[in-house]
Amino acid sequence: MSSQGQNTGRRPELRHDPVTNRWVIFSPARAKRPTDLKSKSPQNSNPNDNSSCPFCIGNEHECAPEIFRVPSDPSDPNWKLRVIENLYPALNRNLEGPCDVKQDMGVPGLAMGGFGFHDVVIENPVHSVHLCDMEARDIGQVLLAYKKRIQQIATVESIKYVQVFKNHGASAGASMSHSHSQILALPIIPSSVSARFEGMNEYFEKTGKCSLCEVQAKELLIDESTHFISVVPFAATFPFEIWIIPRAHSSHFHEFDCEKMVYLGGLLKLMLRKMSLQLDNPPFNFMIQTSPLQVKESELFYAHWFLQIIPQLSGVGGFEIGTGCYINPVFPEDAAKVMREVNLPVEG
């Protein structure tokens, strides 16, 4: 993004988010208007070309082994979603676990075997149907598939953290245009997860309250449903970043009530549709930010999961890479206002 700016009506500001435990610089001079950040990134080429797509119905033999499907009958060709092993996994489920951490002589670092699970959730059998095109109840089924698979993986003692994520669009990391998401189970707790946990703990130690249960600012609110709210976080790392947060305190996504998943599906669909309309269908990532699998009972009081959506509107430069401190050209209050301007009903 150019260092030249036109908007000088608002001063830069630094904000710290107690959830991410990260400082963010808000510099509105780096964008003329919030809507100037509409997507300019190309989507996947030939998104409707399903001639050689292994995720399409009828091409199941081209995929890695299936873990389960919905409906569950493997002989029924009319499936709604499938969970399969990733054909090109980042980690190997066939290694013997747990893996010992080793320190090589003369090298200031640690190493361990690459044991873990890397799965793909094929969200729909039809190539041209994206997640935001699906009914809320069908998106709820995708979310329930995440829950079921995490519960299965959680029985493996050496797995410490499970990340659910979706890449939509080539510039967001999607190598396949057929709508899908991924599940990656790790034998470690990633540093960003540890930082988030530490930030939540610090807030709890100071206030005696959960940082996400306290999110109530109306100017940050986009929409709400019976069991969830959607907000732009107070110190959003990226422009138009959105969090969907359970109203009731909940530490682990995979322990959340099954009957409430359709409400999450409805609000997720609404956020994706609003983002598409206001930002010209940008590439995006979403992640379910949950707690490590093994946590102490005392940690449950401040651990609260949420679903994070990040549209890919601006690049990451040397400052961000060098410092871990991000520059966001759109104040969260302005981003939330832009999203509230789209008047669409919540399904579910």
Side-chain angles (χ1 to χ4, degrees):
M1 185 177 294
S2 170
S3 61
Q4 300 298 315
Q6 305 270 338
N7 185 355
T8 57
R10 196 168 183 179
R11 294 181 178 180
E13 183 175 300
L14 284 89
R15 294 185 180 184
H16 180 266
D17 192 300
V19 178
T20 61
N21 204 15
R22 175 186 289 157
W23 283 95
V24 178
I25 299 172
F26 290 90
S27 182
R30 297 174 71 83
K32 296 178 184 179
R33 298 178 301 275
T35 50
D36 288 341
L37 283 170
K38 288 184 178 182
S39 173
K40 301 177 183 64
S41 301
Q43 297 293 322
N44 297 62
S45 60
N46 299 320
N48 296 318
D49 180 12
N50 62 348
S51 58
S52 59
C53 174
F55 290 172
C56 285
I57 193 164
N59 294 342
E60 295 83 358
H61 61 283
E62 298 181 24
C63 294
E66 179 179 299
I67 299 168
F68 65 83
R69 64 171 62 188
V70 177
S72 58
D73 183 1
S75 64
D76 185 355
N78 298 313
W79 51 271
K80 288 188 174 182
L81 70 86
R82 298 173 69 228
V83 179
I84 64 172
E85 297 180 15
N86 194 312
L87 193 60
Y88 306 101
L91 295 171
N92 191 331
R93 72 190 68 223
N94 297 317
L95 294 178
E96 291 187 8
C99 299
D100 294 330
V101 178
K102 298 179 180 179
Q103 183 169 10
D104 293 334
M105 296 299 294
V107 179
L110 302 174
M112 64 187 302
F115 170 74
F117 298 88
H118 192 175
D119 303 329
V120 175
V121 180
I122 306 172
E123 300 156 354
N124 192 287
V126 181
H127 192 87
S128 59
V129 175
H130 294 293
L131 195 66
C132 65
D133 301 321
M134 296 164 58
E135 298 292 332
R137 63 177 179 273
D138 293 326
I139 299 175
Q141 286 295 321
V142 173
L143 298 166
L144 285 171
Y146 299 158
K147 173 184 168 83
K148 177 179 177 179
R149 184 58 184 144
I150 296 172
Q151 288 175 329
Q152 292 174 342
I153 293 172
T155 62
V156 181
E157 187 176 353
S158 57
I159 294 299
K160 307 302 181 187
Y161 190 77
V162 181
Q163 182 69 68
V164 174
F165 63 99
K166 178 177 176 67
N167 304 329
H168 174 80
S171 61
S175 57
M176 303 279 292
S177 60
H178 192 125
S179 191
H180 69 286
S181 38
Q182 299 181 62
I183 301 172
L184 192 51
L186 303 162
I188 59 166
I189 299 175
S191 56
S192 62
V193 176
S194 297
R196 187 174 79 240
F197 230 54
E198 290 168 6
M200 289 177 164
N201 181 37
E202 288 178 13
Y203 185 88
F204 183 77
E205 290 293 327
K206 292 177 182 178
T207 66
K209 298 176 181 178
C210 165
S211 55
L212 283 179
C213 288
E214 289 293 291
V215 175
Q216 297 176 352
K218 290 184 178 180
E219 61 269 22
L220 299 175
L221 181 70
I222 303 174
D223 278 285
E224 55 189 331
S225 64
T226 306
H227 302 290
F228 297 90
I229 62 170
S230 60
V231 301
V232 178
F234 171 74
T237 305
F238 302 96
F240 293 93
E241 177 180 349
I242 298 170
W243 292 1
I244 301 178
I245 307 169
R247 289 181 181 274
H249 185 76
S250 177
S251 300
H252 289 94
F253 170 80
H254 69 280
E255 295 177 351
F256 200 67
D257 295 341
C258 292
E259 61 270 16
K260 295 178 182 177
M261 287 298 183
V262 68
Y263 295 95
L264 177 56
L267 197 53
L268 174 57
K269 176 186 173 109
L270 180 63
M271 291 304 99
L272 296 180
R273 290 182 66 197
K274 285 193 170 193
M275 198 168 66
S276 178
L277 289 169
Q278 291 293 70
L279 304 175
D280 285 351
N281 189 27
F284 68 85
N285 306 98
F286 80 58
M287 293 72 61
I288 295 177
Q289 305 291 18
T290 187
S291 300
L293 292 176
Q294 295 103 22
V295 297
K296 299 175 183 177
E297 187 174 351
S298 59
E299 295 171 329
L300 297 176
F301 293 107
Y302 58 79
H304 195 137
W305 70 267
F306 61 99
L307 192 151
Q308 178 184 29
I309 308 171
I310 299 176
Q312 294 295 331
L313 302 171
S314 59
V316 175
F319 174 78
E320 289 86 353
I321 296 171
T323 64
C325 181
Y326 287 73
I327 301 174
N328 189 338
V330 183
F331 273 91
E333 295 83 356
D334 296 336
K337 183 179 179 181
V338 169
M339 288 300 169
R340 286 197 300 269
E341 290 173 354
V342 183
N343 188 16
L344 295 170
V346 182
E347 294 184 20

